[in-house]
């Protein structure tokens, strides 16, 4: 379905070296004026210069050569190519020049380019900040430029702003000067050589907290006025992360300061602008009374991720968007390294598997997945690759590589890569060469099979006992979500094996570099279990014979098998169920072995699988039976943990309590729902404040069977808080109401001015995830698609909305309906998402047809 547009990159006959950029935003009229003079190298004689410009008006363009000024003949804009071509009166000779533009534009409300972000002063007055978001291709919406990652230059940035506003950019302030009319001119130091997508400015009202890292970098966290204490946690993380990375890469952070700032209207989670990282408020601010543990953990990861980019992405930048994964996959891996270093109690590498690795595998077994490295032509195609493959699969294959070559060589390789290519651009092969040089292992040969081709393998294992030896036959084929087999593809698979003799230790490792291989393990009795892929490090699925699986079950029950192996086992089996290679009932029987499980991440993985099944069964009459099954499974852990946090309990137990109570609410467990409502009532009446970790569950319990009055009470709670995280939590909980008429009001509320555009999507998704709201939200989408398209202009928020509104259907009729709708209505940047959704609907339908009877039989026996 992907319609590749004809698209040419900018000609290379003229290149920028330096920009002098001055911007004057008007935060009341929502306009800005700008001027830029760009030092250029003219490499071939020409009378035309083509560069990027979109949604801006250029009122004047001239070029100064060493001895004369050449006038412009005309400027031609191409909306399709997002360019401006300036034609000059006479030919420009080879040499240096100064290209000058005067331009103006609108401070838009689309959260891209130079845009306006609404906020409220402590007294409740509505105001706006001016903010930039240029990745991937939106610097051109702010000023005429060579808006491609490889066209690096230095920047001198000047802002003309109100005297009472904070003005920030990538570098520290060089000088300020008061002007008339209450304005001031703020000039910033020159930036290093960098890509346009990393340029940033922010103008608004903010408080800040500051500190210095041990290596002397000034770190500031900017917050809404009156909330600076909410920046302290991020400040602590950032001041520790900078020296950690400096030490890990053995390369110093090259800027004198690092600012982190919370932006009220922000479409992504955060953006790594060099020296001025912008965040959604929910990804930066911590309110000690109202922030949940899982949110605090995700803030630590996000700060770690964006600061990793300061080296990986900013100092060394991918040559073109095809190599986006070099930025994102790498930063997604490193954020876990640094959080593990700062917060060992988070057990974050175990959580990596449920948060990153399994989500990548789920997307990557679809026929409409894409390789990690994907050709990008038009800017509209870039948005779509900011997805599970670039981030999660990218991070997962780097984790596999890190294990394969070892930490020491990995660090050495990173240092070679960063020092060799600093202030330049690279492609994937440059990274492999550096790691190969450091480790003397065939990195490029192994890794190209993971990066260049789509999907991943399933390793099937057969086992035979010969005396005190175990003979294993391992074979590989491509794993497909629909169960079809393909042996066209081939991977170089790093395989590790552990055994009952030493759980968690590697008994053997090797590269599976052919279709199948026979491996012999010595000194093993016939009752000993064998586990392939210990630690769930290799990016593949494992398929065992039923005898081998049975041998593992006692080790699951006794928890002798390490947590990541217990997790990998159930996750692989559920994937086999979805592909029709095992029965749903078999997976539910295996889950029985996990009743004594105490590990948060293992429960996370079980929950992920059961949630998929819950959505599937919501199309049948087995909902009550499945709810009973769920209550029986989760209730014992809830009883063990209780409602109230114990003194000094682990971070992971806090997360587990929240997970389990949430699940029991969704299974409509009478006792849990009753207690949740009681605690909610105390919370609303200010008798006893609910801990942040339990709020989502209690809000949902209260809303599930709620009426108009309950809904109004919840809205009152929403309106009474000014913490973004709490608003987010309440608005998403509204999706759990089961009354369809009230759910329609929730959708109206989501589209109202009360909910920020970046959050509306998630409120609508919450309604769509509710079986009662599924059809209604799809109808709503079709009727309001123009409005939504206008609001999000393509982009990943729209893709996210389409994914969750459609992929939970489960019939061929629905698949055809969705297919037909998107054939006749075009939504740029969502083609791949739509194809994946249609494929998922058909997979759901096949799963139901295949397994409904045996699942029913199993649930009725429970």
């Amino acid at each position: 379905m992907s319609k590749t547009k004809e698209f040419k990159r900018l000609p290379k006959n003229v290149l920028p070296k330096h920009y002098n950029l001055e911007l004057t935003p008007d935060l009341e009229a929502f306009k800005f004026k700008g001027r830029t003079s760009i030092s250029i190298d003219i490499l071939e004689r020409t009378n035309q210069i083509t560069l990027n410009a979109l949604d801006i008006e250029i009122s004047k363009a001239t070029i100064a050569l060493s001895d004369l000024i050449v006038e412009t003949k005309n400027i031609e804009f191409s909306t399709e190519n997002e360019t401006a071509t300036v034609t000059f009166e006479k030919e420009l000779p080879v040499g240096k020049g100064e290209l000058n533009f005067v331009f103006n534009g609108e401070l838009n409300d689309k959260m891209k380019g130079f845009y306006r972000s609404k906020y409220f002063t402590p007294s409740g007055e509505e105001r706006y900040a001016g903010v930039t978001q240029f990745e991937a291709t939106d610097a051109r919406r702010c000023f005429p430029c060579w808006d491609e990652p490889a066209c690096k230059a230095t920047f001198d940035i000047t802002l003309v702003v109100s005297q009472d506003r904070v003005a920030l950019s990538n570098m520290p302030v060089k000088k300020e000067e008061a002007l008339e009319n209450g304005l001031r001119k703020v000039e910033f130091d020159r930036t290093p050589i960098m890509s346009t997508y990393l340029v940033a400015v922010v103008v608004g009202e903010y408080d800040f907290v500051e500190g210095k890292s041990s290596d002397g970098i000034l770190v500031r966290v900017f917050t809404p006025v009156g909330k600076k204490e909410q920046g302290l946690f991020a400040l602590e993380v950032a001041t520790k992360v900078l020296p950690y990375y400096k030490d890990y890469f053995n390369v110093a952070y090259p800027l004198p300061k690092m600012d982190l700032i919370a932006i009220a209207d922000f479409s992504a989670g955060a953006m790594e602008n060099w020296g001025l990282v912008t965040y959604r408020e929910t990804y930066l601010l911590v309110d000690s009374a109202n922030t949940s543990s899982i949110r605090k953990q995700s803030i630590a990861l996000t700060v770690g991720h964006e600061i990793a980019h300061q080296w990986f992405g900013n100092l060394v930048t991918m040559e073109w968007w095809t190599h986006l994964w070099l930025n994102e996959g790498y930063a997604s891996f490193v954020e876990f390294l640094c959080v593990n270093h700062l917060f060992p109690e988070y057990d974050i590498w175990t959580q990596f598997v449920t948060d990153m690795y399994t989500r990548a595998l789920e997307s990557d077994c679809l026929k409409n997945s894409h390789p990690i490295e994907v050709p990008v032509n038009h800017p509209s195609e870039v948005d779509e690759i900011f997805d599970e493959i670039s981030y999660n699969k990218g991070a997962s294959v780097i984790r596999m590589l890190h294990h394969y070559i070892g930490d020491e060589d990995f660090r050495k390789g990173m240092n070679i890569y960063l020092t060799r290519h600093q202030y330049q651009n690279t492609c994937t092969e440059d990274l492999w060469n550096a790691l190969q040089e450091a480790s003397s292992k065939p990195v490029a040969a192994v890794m190209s099979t993971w990066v260049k081709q789509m999907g991943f393998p399933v390793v099937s294992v057969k086992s035979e006992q010969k005396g005190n030896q175990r003979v294993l036959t391992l074979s590989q084929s491509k794993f497909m979500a629909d169960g079809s087999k393909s042996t066209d593809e081939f991977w170089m698979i790093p395989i590790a094996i552990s055994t009952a003799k030493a759980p968690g230790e590697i008994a053997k490792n090797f590269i599976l570099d052919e279709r199948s291989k026979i491996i012999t393990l010595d000194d093993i009795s016939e009752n000993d279990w064998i586990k392939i892929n210990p630690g769930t490090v290799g990016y593949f699925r494992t398929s065992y014979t039923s005898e081998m699986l049975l041998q593992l079950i006692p080790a699951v029950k006794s928890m002798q098998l390490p947590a990541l192996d217990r997790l990998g086992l159930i996750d692989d089996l559920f994937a086999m169920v979805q592909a029709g290679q095992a029965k749903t009932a078999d997976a539910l029987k295996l889950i029985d072995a996990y009743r004594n499980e105490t590990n948060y991440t293992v429960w996370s993985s079980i929950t992920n699988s059961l949630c998929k099944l819950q959505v599937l069964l919501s199309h049948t009459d087995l909902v009550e039976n499945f709810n009973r099954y769920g209550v029986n499974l989760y209730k014992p852990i809830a009883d063990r943990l209780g409602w109230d946090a114990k003194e000094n309990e682990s971070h992971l137990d806090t997360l587990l309590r929240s997970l389990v109570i949430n699940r029991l609410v969704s299974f409509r467990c009478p006792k849990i729902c009753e207690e949740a409502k009681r605690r909610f009532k105390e919370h609303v009446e200010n008798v006893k404040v609910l801990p942040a970790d339990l709020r989502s569950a209690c809000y949902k319990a209260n809303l599930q069977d709620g009426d108009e009055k309950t809904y109004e009470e919840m809205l009152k709670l929403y309106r009474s808080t000014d913490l973004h995280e709490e608003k987010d939590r309440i608005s998403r909980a509204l999706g759990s109401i089961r009354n369809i008429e009230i759910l329609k009001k929730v959708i109206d509320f989501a589209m109202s001015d009360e909910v920020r555009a970046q959050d509306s999507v998630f409120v609508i998704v919450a309604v769509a995830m509710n079986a009662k709201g599924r059809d209604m939200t799809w109808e709503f989408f079709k009727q309001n698609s123009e409005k939504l398209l206008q609001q999000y202009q393509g982009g990943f928020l729209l893709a996210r909305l389409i994914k969750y509104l459609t992929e939970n259907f489960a019939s061929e009729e629905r698949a055809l309906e969705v297919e037909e709708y998107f054939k006749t209505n075009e939504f740029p940047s969502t083609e791949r998402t739509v194809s994946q959704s249609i494929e998922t609907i058909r997979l759901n339908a096949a799963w139901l047809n295949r397994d409904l009877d045996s699942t029913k039989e199993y649930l009725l026996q429970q």
Side-chain angles (χ1 to χ4, degrees):
M1 288 186 72
S2 199
K3 310 179 196 38
T4 303
K5 300 179 183 172
E6 270 309 301
F7 182 71
K8 292 190 192 72
R9 285 176 63 173
L10 293 173
K12 296 285 177 272
N13 59 341
V14 177
L15 290 176
K17 289 291 153 205
H18 175 72
Y19 294 77
N20 263 318
L21 174 64
E22 181 178 294
L23 295 168
T24 307
D26 181 337
L27 298 173
E28 282 169 2
F30 304 144
K31 290 182 165 50
F32 65 89
K33 295 194 301 230
R35 55 177 66 234
T36 182
S37 81
I38 311 169
S39 308
I40 54 172
D41 282 350
I42 303 163
L43 306 174
E44 294 164 20
R45 293 178 72 86
T46 180
N47 68 337
Q48 282 189 337
I49 293 179
T50 299
L51 73 175
N52 293 112
L54 184 67
D55 296 345
I56 50 178
E57 281 177 24
I58 297 175
S59 54
K60 192 174 177 199
T62 57
I63 190 163
L65 304 171
S66 54
D67 51 356
L68 77 163
I69 287 184
V70 181
E71 290 301 322
T72 311
K73 194 167 167 187
N74 73 328
I75 304 176
E76 195 179 320
F77 290 93
S78 160
T79 316
E80 171 68 7
N81 287 326
E82 305 186 352
T83 55
T85 299
V86 186
T87 306
F88 296 96
E89 295 282 0
K90 52 166 98 153
E91 200 170 56
L92 310 174
V94 170
K96 299 199 176 308
E98 196 78 28
L99 184 59
N100 298 294
F101 291 105
V102 177
F103 55 92
N104 58 68
E106 180 202 0
L107 283 174
N108 68 66
D109 60 355
K110 303 288 182 266
M111 296 182 282
K112 51 169 79 173
F114 196 7
Y115 72 93
R116 61 184 189 258
S117 168
K118 182 165 78 176
Y119 63 95
F120 295 92
T121 65
S123 63
E125 195 187 327
E126 181 179 296
R127 295 222 180 122
Y128 288 86
V131 182
T132 55
Q133 168 59 40
F134 290 164
E135 190 179 30
T137 57
D138 292 318
R140 61 193 66 175
R141 290 172 191 268
C142 178
F143 60 103
C145 58
W146 276 259
D147 199 10
E148 294 184 356
C151 298
K152 288 189 166 186
T154 51
F155 294 81
D156 282 338
I157 293 172
T158 301
L159 293 173
V160 177
V161 299
S162 268
Q163 295 201 1
D164 60 351
R165 293 293 188 268
V166 171
L168 300 169
S169 185
N170 305 81
M171 298 298 285
V173 172
K174 181 168 72 179
K175 71 176 218 216
E176 297 198 30
E177 145 191 13
L179 307 173
E180 57 220 27
N181 303 333
L183 296 175
R184 77 184 200 284
K185 188 183 211 177
V186 185
E187 291 177 36
F188 297 91
D189 279 333
R190 180 164 297 188
T191 70
I193 297 170
M194 61 192 253
S195 306
T196 46
Y197 78 89
L198 294 167
V199 171
V201 305
V202 177
V203 180
E205 294 171 286
Y206 297 94
D207 278 347
F208 68 90
V209 284
E210 67 178 3
K212 264 209 161 108
S213 65
S214 59
D215 52 348
I217 306 294
L218 173 69
V219 182
R220 297 179 297 183
V221 177
F222 287 83
T223 72
V225 173
K227 294 187 175 182
K228 61 180 177 188
E229 74 292 342
Q230 292 181 13
L232 290 169
F233 176 70
L235 180 68
E236 179 202 352
V237 175
T239 47
K240 289 178 178 165
V241 166
L242 283 164
Y244 172 73
Y245 285 153
K246 177 187 175 180
D247 178 51
Y248 194 85
F249 303 135
N250 199 14
V251 173
Y253 172 68
L255 272 61
K257 62 99 175 172
M258 164 58 81
D259 289 335
L260 297 79
I261 183 165
I263 304 295
D265 287 309
F266 197 76
S267 79
M271 173 60 207
E272 69 268 18
N273 315 301
W274 218 354
L276 175 58
V277 183
T278 45
Y279 292 81
R280 254 185 199 226
E281 290 186 3
T282 48
Y283 281 97
L284 189 69
L285 305 181
V286 171
D287 176 329
S288 52
N290 295 297
T291 296
S292 64
S293 306
I294 194 99
R295 171 55 59 194
K296 202 168 166 183
Q297 177 182 290
S298 81
I299 288 170
L301 286 166
T302 307
V303 171
H305 179 99
E306 302 310 327
I307 294 181
H309 275 310
Q310 308 299 306
W311 284 262
F312 227 86
N314 301 8
L315 179 64
V316 177
T317 313
M318 73 239 143
E319 194 279 331
W320 183 244
W321 300 105
T322 295
H323 305 281
L324 170 76
W325 87 278
L326 271 180
N327 278 15
E328 296 306 346
Y330 189 81
S332 299
F333 168 76
V334 175
E335 69 186 72
F336 283 83
L337 272 180
C338 99
V339 169
N340 185 53
H341 170 74
L342 298 184
F343 303 101
E345 69 277 14
Y346 285 5
D347 188 21
I348 205 73
W349 279 116
T350 310
Q351 294 189 60
F352 177 93
V353 177
T354 46
D355 291 356
M356 307 296 285
Y357 169 99
T358 55
R359 283 174 52 191
L361 292 173
E362 282 166 16
S363 300
D364 204 19
C365 59
L366 297 173
K367 288 181 171 150
N368 289 293
S369 180
H370 63 85
I372 283 180
E373 257 194 38
V374 61
V376 171
N377 295 298
H378 197 267
S380 69
E381 292 170 25
V382 181
D383 276 341
E384 266 208 297
I385 56 170
F386 282 84
D387 67 356
E388 259 92 5
I389 302 299
S390 297
Y391 284 73
N392 301 32
K393 181 179 181 178
S396 300
V397 300
I398 286 177
R399 173 172 168 257
M400 177 166 74
L401 172 64
H402 177 259
H403 271 256
Y404 171 57
I405 67 174
D407 189 63
E408 195 182 330
D409 287 345
F410 186 80
R411 290 172 75 153
K412 216 186 315 175
M414 296 320 335
N415 175 265
I416 293 172
Y417 174 80
L418 289 167
T419 44
R420 182 176 292 163
H421 303 289
Q422 56 187 337
Y423 305 110
Q424 296 168 352
N425 298 80
T426 57
C427 60
T428 303
E429 285 61 34
D430 296 314
L431 179 60
W432 298 159
N433 293 340
L435 291 165
Q436 199 155 300
E437 200 174 306
S439 67
S440 309
K441 286 190 170 166
V443 173
V446 171
M447 293 311 288
S448 63
T449 65
W450 298 96
V451 171
K452 302 259 185 238
Q453 54 187 1
M454 187 168 91
F456 58 88
V458 53
V459 174
S460 304
V461 198
K462 292 192 176 107
S463 157
E464 193 189 343
Q465 190 72 22
K466 291 189 174 171
N468 69 343
Q469 288 185 321
R470 186 76 63 89
V471 180
L472 302 176
T473 309
L474 292 92
S475 51
Q476 63 162 298
S477 60
K478 184 176 182 179
F479 182 78
M480 307 284 276
D482 64 358
S484 58
K485 281 272 187 260
S486 161
T487 48
D488 297 345
E489 294 84 356
F490 171 78
W491 285 267
M492 304 268 276
I493 312 175
I495 300 263
I497 300 173
S498 66
T499 71
K501 289 268 180 290
E505 285 180 29
I506 294 173
K508 202 173 191 79
N509 58 7
F510 56 94
I511 296 273
L512 180 57
D513 52 5
E514 48 202 313
R515 292 263 168 244
S516 72
K517 214 173 201 162
I518 293 174
I519 295 291
T520 304
L521 299 173
D522 296 322
D523 190 27
I524 283 203
S525 80
E526 60 185 328
N527 299 324
D528 285 347
W529 53 260
I530 302 280
K531 174 74 178 62
I532 309 294
N533 200 13
T536 314
V537 172
Y539 186 75
F540 58 88
R541 296 277 184 206
T542 308
S543 173
Y544 296 97
T545 60
S546 43
E547 297 76 38
M548 291 182 81
L549 206 52
L550 279 171
Q551 275 189 328
L552 283 158
I553 286 181
V556 169
K557 283 184 171 159
S558 66
M559 296 200 281
Q560 178 203 16
L561 202 62
L564 278 173
D565 293 331
R566 303 197 297 274
L567 185 165
L569 209 56
I570 189 74
D571 199 67
D572 279 348
L573 185 61
F574 245 96
M576 301 297 157
V577 167
Q578 209 174 353
Q581 290 164 15
K583 288 264 176 251
T584 304
D586 296 341
L588 295 176
K589 278 175 201 157
L590 176 61
I591 287 178
D592 265 356
Y594 289 79
R595 288 184 181 275
N596 303 328
E597 184 57 63
T598 55
N599 183 285
Y600 162 70
T601 314
V602 178
W603 276 112
S604 250
S605 182
I606 292 171
T607 298
N608 180 33
S609 298
L610 291 181
C611 282
K612 278 193 232 145
L613 191 53
Q614 193 172 16
V615 168
L616 205 61
L617 294 179
S618 70
H619 294 276
T620 71
D621 57 2
L622 291 178
V623 173
E624 295 298 316
N625 306 76
F626 191 65
N627 283 350
R628 273 199 297 279
Y629 166 83
V631 171
N632 288 336
L633 183 65
Y634 286 84
K635 190 75 171 59
I637 337 158
D639 292 342
R640 178 176 71 76
L641 290 166
W643 277 84
D644 300 307
K646 318 271 186 296
E647 210 180 333
N648 300 327
E649 80 175 5
S650 73
H651 171 74
L652 293 173
D653 270 355
T654 308
L655 300 189
L656 182 58
R657 176 182 297 104
S658 171
L659 173 84
V660 168
I661 291 177
N662 252 305
R663 291 319 301 145
L664 285 164
V665 166
S666 86
F667 291 128
R668 307 181 65 73
C669 168
K671 270 183 92 165
I672 292 285
C673 288
E674 213 169 294
E675 178 62 12
K677 286 180 193 169
R678 187 187 72 74
R679 287 174 178 253
F680 174 77
K681 189 168 182 287
E682 287 187 342
H683 177 70
V684 176
E685 291 169 358
N686 290 324
V687 176
K688 190 179 180 195
V689 174
L690 265 171
D693 295 298
L694 297 180
R695 284 188 202 169
S696 276
C698 292
Y699 294 169
K700 285 174 189 164
N702 190 55
L703 284 161
Q704 273 179 160
D705 300 309
D707 55 14
E708 195 82 36
K709 183 167 167 282
T710 324
Y711 172 60
E712 289 301 334
E713 182 177 47
M714 224 50 197
L715 285 186
K716 198 169 145 198
L717 206 58
Y718 178 90
R719 289 167 185 146
S720 69
T721 178
D722 66 348
L723 182 71
H724 200 139
E725 180 187 342
E726 180 69 356
K727 280 192 184 295
D728 206 29
R729 199 162 27 221
I730 296 167
S731 58
R732 291 181 193 219
L734 294 172
S736 53
I737 294 171
R738 291 161 61 82
N739 176 320
I740 192 93
E741 291 311 312
I742 305 177
L743 282 178
K744 286 180 181 163
K745 292 188 170 182
V746 175
I747 297 273
D748 291 340
F749 165 71
M751 295 298 287
S752 74
D753 285 348
E754 281 198 77
V755 179
R756 292 184 182 276
Q758 80 226 30
D759 302 319
S760 307
V761 165
F762 299 102
V763 184
I764 299 167
V765 164
V767 177
M769 299 299 285
N770 174 347
K772 301 276 185 203
R774 195 158 41 215
D775 294 347
M776 185 264 288
T777 39
W778 171 232
E779 287 310 313
F780 158 81
F781 176 81
K782 289 188 292 185
Q783 283 160 17
N784 294 273
S785 56
E786 273 308 305
K787 189 175 173 185
L788 290 160
L789 199 52
Q790 197 41 45
Q791 176 65 64
Y792 298 108
Q793 302 210 329
F796 81 99
L797 280 174
L798 190 64
R800 192 69 52 94
L801 182 63
I802 289 171
K803 171 182 162 72
Y804 290 111
L805 288 195
T806 53
E807 70 172 11
N808 291 324
F809 291 129
S811 68
E812 179 58 24
E813 298 78 58
R814 280 298 199 196
L816 290 168
E817 183 192 333
V818 172
E819 197 164 31
E820 204 40 56
Y821 179 77
F822 286 103
K823 253 184 209 154
T824 49
N825 297 277
E826 204 177 318
F827 291 82
S829 310
T830 64
E831 287 91 355
R832 186 179 282 116
T833 304
V834 169
S835 309
Q836 289 176 347
S837 266
I838 294 162
E839 185 179 347
T840 305
I841 297 170
R842 293 196 161 112
L843 290 168
N844 290 344
W847 186 358
L848 267 185
N849 290 340
R850 193 172 55 230
D851 264 14
L852 187 57
D853 294 343
S854 55
T855 307
K856 185 173 191 166
E857 196 181 321
Y858 178 82
L859 289 174
L860 291 174
Q861 286 165 6
Q862 293 306 297

